[in-house]
Amino acid sequence: MLTATSRPAPPETWAIGDVQGCLDSLLELEARLPRTARVWLTGDIVNRGPRSLDSLRWAMAQGERLVTVLGNHDLHLLAVAAGIRKAHRTDTLADILAAPDRDALIDWVRSRPLAHFESGWLMVHAGVLPQWSVARTLELAEEVRAVLAGPRWMDFLREMYGNQPARWSDSLTGHDRLRVIVNALTRLRFCTADGEMEFATKEGVGGAPEGHYPWFEVPGRATAGAPIVFGHWSALGLIDRPDLLAIDTGCLWGRKLTAVRLSDRAVMQVQCPQGLAPW
């Protein structure tokens, strides 16, 4: 089911950047929001911060008040839980994997969407390929959500990792098709004008490899008319422009956790203790 809706945005809908297990900072920020505020999270609820399990339980407890999309670290949790990937040295997922409610937590994560559209706003974790419209992005995100929420989700996770194909084609099928969708929505930073993705570069806008653009700077991208809120790219810092909100401001690295009210772009931030040294 697509998450698009034409309802007017509630006046207190706040989008919050990547939490990554930094629950204390999230709770400090949440305490400053109205009690009735809706919360959108840009993905990466868990991992590398100190309180991944508590962050995930908090998100589940919010019920319909909260919308989140999947990030690459949330997908990594699913792969580790399924025994498909080994935990990294800097992962903080062990408490989730050992939790008595582990199965409920994993099922909740794998049922989350990769894109959400409401009141004119599109939310993804990382980016959108230039040839995808908002409607197409939602359709493709739903293809992945249906697989992850279904009985063969582990089969897909075994095939999910990899950088190829690096470019979208409507003719793609099977795991190649789903892999491109996942890579775009949860990993994308730079791509060429025709949408070939590049994953090695993590610097800011000025670090674009030759022939590549930040995905949101590609001329004529199909989503240019709709504002997009996203996280993932902490090197960007806060970007607030009419068609874009980049709100991963590096809480994990000891910078800030950012919330933006979508109705008027009001910004609220809290300073975060350093949970991990930047790479």
Side-chain angles (χ1 to χ4, degrees), residues 67-88:
V67 174
T68 187
V69 292
L70 289 178
N72 53 301
H73 284 280
D74 306 314
L75 291 171
H76 177 62
L77 166 63
L78 295 181
V80 173
I84 292 163
R85 300 282 280 191
K86 293 183 178 180
H88 298 151

Side-chain angles (χ1 to χ4, degrees), residues 50-250:
R51 298 183 64 185
S52 286
L53 172 60
D54 293 337
S55 298
L56 191 49
R57 285 177 171 164
W58 176 88
M60 286 183 63
Q62 304 311 303
E64 294 185 359
R65 176 196 181 210
L66 180 137
V67 174
T68 187
V69 292
L70 289 178
N72 53 301
H73 284 280
D74 306 314
L75 291 171
H76 177 62
L77 166 63
L78 295 181
V80 173
I84 292 163
R85 300 282 280 191
K86 293 183 178 180
H88 298 151
R89 178 181 57 84
T90 57
D91 285 350
T92 57
L93 304 175
D95 52 355
I96 299 174
L97 303 177
D101 54 345
R102 163 191 166 134
D103 289 348
L105 295 167
I106 296 302
D107 287 348
W108 185 85
V109 171
R110 68 187 182 92
S111 66
R112 298 307 96 191
L114 273 74
H116 178 75
F117 182 74
E118 185 176 336
S119 305
W121 280 94
L122 176 64
M123 177 170 66
V124 298
H125 176 62
V128 179
L129 288 176
Q131 59 266 59
W132 294 352
S133 65
V134 171
R136 188 62 169 149
T137 300
L138 292 169
E139 291 170 357
L140 296 174
E142 174 60 16
E143 291 184 24
V144 176
R145 191 210 63 81
V147 171
L148 286 175
R152 299 181 65 86
W153 62 284
M154 292 187 188
D155 292 343
F156 168 60
L157 289 176
R158 291 187 182 95
E159 304 294 334
M160 182 178 69
Y161 288 95
N163 295 340
Q164 299 297 324
R167 182 189 285 110
W168 173 254
S169 169
D170 287 334
S171 66
L172 288 171
T173 61
H175 294 308
D176 282 352
R177 180 182 180 91
L178 297 177
R179 189 183 307 115
V180 173
I181 299 168
V182 167
N183 282 344
L185 295 176
T186 70
R187 297 178 60 203
L188 180 60
R189 292 184 178 93
F190 295 104
C191 64
T192 61
D194 62 354
E196 182 173 355
M197 295 179 281
E198 192 273 350
F199 299 111
T201 307
K202 297 183 179 181
E203 287 82 0
V205 170
E210 184 177 357
H212 292 72
Y213 302 83
W215 66 266
F216 49 84
E217 298 286 6
V218 173
R221 65 179 170 89
T223 51
I228 299 176
V229 58
F230 69 102
H232 182 61
W233 199 347
S234 61
L236 295 178
L238 176 64
I239 296 178
D240 180 359
R241 69 186 206 191
D243 63 339
L244 204 74
L245 272 176
I247 58 172
D248 181 1
T249 47

